[in-house]
Amino acid sequence: MAINAKTSKLCQAMIRCMQRAQGIGLAAPQVGIATNLFVTEAPGDYPRVFINPRIIEHSDDQVTIQEGCLSIPAIYYPVERAHSVVVEAYNEEGEQFTLEDHNMLARIILHEYDHLQGILFWDLLPSAVRSQLQEQYRNQAAVQ
């Protein structure tokens, strides 16, 4: 993807959208844009942009934490993910960077990266749990 003024505007719009929704991450496919980009804002952190991200490394040790997703509101479930991650990406100015994290940002990066691969967090769960959560989501949607 070319990084230009249009890309920068998209990044800023996605950050605003994520913040309005009180989210901590948002991937371009979640807002109907087929591009390799996500934004994050971990608690206590600042908004970050990841363009053309690539997971370089992740830890073997796993941590299970409850996750939710702006794509499937009000559905939460414990998900096991790598404790740490090293990601390489570009920011909205087109500068390449490498980031290593062992905290919540690592989890957010892995979650948003999954979106770029067409994966939702419930896809990582056993099929019986996934079916139960999908039914719960359908029931909530029907009520609204």
Side-chain angles (χ1 to χ4, degrees):
M1 110 177 254
I3 301 172
N4 51 35
K6 184 177 176 182
T7 309
S8 184
K9 285 182 183 181
L10 171 61
C11 293
Q12 293 310 308
M14 285 183 57
I15 289 169
R16 285 191 305 275
C17 181
M18 172 186 64
Q19 291 170 335
R20 275 195 309 269
Q22 299 179 341
I24 55 177
L26 184 66
Q30 290 178 275
V31 293
I33 300 169
T35 195
N36 202 20
L37 157 70
F38 64 81
V39 297
T40 67
E41 188 171 6
D45 196 15
Y46 56 88
R48 296 177 186 260
V49 172
F50 297 79
I51 300 170
N52 294 329
R54 197 167 59 99
I55 302 296
I56 302 299
E57 184 179 325
H58 59 79
S59 63
D60 290 334
D61 56 318
Q62 303 282 305
V63 177
T64 301
I65 299 176
Q66 185 145 302
E67 285 191 24
C69 184
L70 294 175
S71 294
I72 43 179
I75 301 294
Y76 302 92
Y77 201 83
V79 176
E80 185 177 70
R81 290 193 187 270
H83 173 67
S84 63
V85 68
V86 178
V87 62
E88 184 177 272
Y90 293 88
N91 65 20
E92 65 271 28
E93 282 88 36
E95 299 163 341
Q96 187 174 23
F97 66 92
T98 302
L99 175 82
E100 180 174 359
D101 194 80
H102 308 278
N103 297 303
M104 186 61 149
L105 182 57
R107 175 164 293 269
I108 299 166
I109 288 167
L110 291 167
H111 178 109
E112 299 308 325
Y113 187 82
D114 277 354
H115 279 297
L116 300 180
Q117 310 306 309
I119 299 168
L120 293 174
F121 83 90
W122 63 19
D123 295 328
L124 305 176
L125 303 174
S127 61
V129 172
R130 181 174 51 252
S131 295
Q132 179 185 7
L133 293 176
Q134 289 170 338
E135 181 65 24
Q136 180 182 343
Y137 180 68
R138 281 191 291 274
N139 290 340
Q140 286 176 324
V143 171
Q144 296 176 3

